[in-house]
């Protein structure tokens, strides 16, 4: 199955490395989300190994999760508190739960892992379906840099040793706002492939997805610390309300 049509692909490939050192500190996101949630129920889409959901639940916030990868869920279950967290295995675009929820959130650019435009729209519509009136949808995403997409292909050297070499190749479809990335490692055991795909959106395009779903933008920040968002921001935290 193509990476464009397999919602569990990312989790199967990355589950064993998802909690490796160097990942963002979840603390600021947990602080932000706990304040927005109040005493209501919360849903994380693409909950992964629970890097955000588990510390949020540890504060007494009732958190459910949706995750396409059973491998990711197994990692979550092995962590303290993970065995009791309600997690539904399924495609996050379908939001395969009934709710209702005070807060739904997506972190770490995961919206862009939905690589069909119509599936991104499905996600917003289904989030609106499970939100209580006045409930909020929080989305964390990077702001695309047009200079990055100024050509159809890119080739990058990642590492070279006496025993291996790794290169990364990107193929862009700028009209569709998608790319396929292939990380290729050559070593003594052969050739190893790690495919990945995304459909990126600018903040105003995400606003339009929300508007079509009956949600409106109520706040936008440059980061979880609520620094102001401006033309120089490379990422955004956007809050949409039903």
């Amino acid at each position: 199955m193509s990476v464009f049509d397999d919602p569990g692909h990312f989790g199967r490939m990355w589950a064993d490395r998802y909690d490796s050192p160097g990942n963002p500190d979840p603390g600021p996101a947990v602080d932000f989300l706990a304040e927005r949630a109040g005493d209501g129920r919360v849903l994380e889409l693409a909950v992964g190994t629970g890097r955000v959901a588990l510390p949020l639940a540890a504060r007494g916030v009732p958190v459910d999760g949706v995750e396409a990868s059973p491998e990711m869920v197994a990692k979550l279950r092995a962590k303290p508190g993970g065995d009791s967290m309600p997690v539904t295995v399924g495609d996050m675009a379908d939001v395969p739960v009934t709710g209702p929820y005070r807060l739904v959130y997506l972190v770490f650019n995961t919206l862009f892992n939905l690589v069909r435009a119509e599936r991104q729209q499905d996600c917003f519509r289904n989030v609106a379906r499970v939100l209580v009136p006045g409930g909020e949808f929080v989305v964390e995403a990077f702001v695309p840099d047009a200079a990055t997409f100024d050509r159809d292909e890119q080739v990058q050297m990642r590492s070279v040793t006496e025993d291996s070499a790794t290169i990364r190749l990107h193929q862009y479809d700028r009209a569709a706002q998608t790319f396929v990335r292939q990380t290729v490692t050559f070593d003594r055991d052969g050739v190893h492939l790690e495919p990945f795909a995304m459909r990126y959106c600018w903040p105003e395009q995400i606003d339009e997805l929300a508007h079509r779903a009956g949600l409106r933008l109520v706040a936008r920040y440059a980061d979880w610390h609520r620094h102001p968002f401006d033309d120089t921001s490379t990422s955004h935290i956007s809050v949409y309300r039903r």
Side-chain angles (χ1 to χ4, degrees):
M1 181 181 291
S2 165
V3 292
F4 278 83
D5 300 297
D6 181 3
H9 169 81
F10 179 86
R12 284 195 303 276
M13 179 162 290
W14 288 95
D16 288 338
R17 292 171 285 169
Y18 197 61
D19 292 327
S20 59
N23 286 310
D25 175 13
V30 172
D31 291 341
F32 183 100
L33 295 166
E35 182 176 322
R36 306 296 302 202
D39 58 0
R41 290 178 67 198
V42 172
L43 175 69
E44 179 173 353
L45 300 179
V47 68
T49 62
R51 289 207 315 246
V52 173
L54 289 173
L56 185 58
R59 296 194 180 190
V61 178
V63 182
D64 296 353
V66 169
E67 172 57 51
S69 165
E71 294 84 356
M72 286 282 198
V73 176
K75 296 291 184 181
L76 181 152
R77 295 288 185 222
K79 294 180 179 181
D83 57 344
S84 61
M85 178 169 288
V87 177
T88 300
V89 176
D91 190 333
M92 67 176 180
D94 296 327
V95 191
V97 290
T98 57
Y101 295 99
R102 171 68 185 82
L103 180 73
V104 179
Y105 66 91
L106 270 173
V107 297
F108 306 135
N109 310 310
T110 314
L111 174 65
F112 299 163
N113 289 2
L114 297 170
V115 290
R116 305 285 187 192
E118 60 270 21
R119 293 303 278 160
Q120 291 180 347
Q121 187 65 75
D122 288 342
C123 181
F124 272 81
R125 288 189 176 124
N126 284 312
V127 165
R129 172 180 55 81
V130 301
L131 281 175
V132 299
E136 295 181 339
F137 185 24
V138 175
V139 177
E140 177 189 21
F142 67 81
V143 178
D145 180 359
T148 303
F149 313 120
D150 63 352
R151 67 201 73 180
D152 293 332
E153 301 92 15
Q154 290 184 11
V155 180
Q156 303 167 333
M157 184 188 75
R158 302 291 290 178
S159 67
V160 176
T161 71
E162 293 182 357
D163 299 313
S164 69
T166 300
I167 60 173
R168 179 168 285 178
L169 305 96
H170 288 79
Q171 176 73 56
Y172 293 96
D173 182 337
R174 285 174 287 173
Q177 297 177 198
T178 62
F179 66 79
V180 177
R181 184 183 77 197
Q182 185 67 266
T183 304
V184 187
T185 298
F186 306 89
D187 61 22
R188 297 180 187 276
D189 296 323
V191 179
H192 310 276
L193 304 178
E194 292 185 354
F196 180 68
M198 269 191 169
R199 180 179 188 270
Y200 53 90
C201 298
W202 277 265
E204 58 270 22
Q205 293 176 315
I206 301 176
D207 295 347
E208 182 59 27
L209 292 172
H211 175 73
R212 292 186 194 129
L215 306 174
R216 62 185 178 89
L217 180 71
V218 295
R220 173 166 287 144
Y221 306 100
D223 54 37
W224 295 110
H225 298 286
R226 295 183 176 81
H227 290 127
F229 178 86
D230 59 28
D231 291 342
T232 67
S233 300
T234 59
S235 63
H236 63 102
I237 312 298
S238 297
V239 182
Y240 300 97
R241 185 173 297 157
R242 179 184 168 192

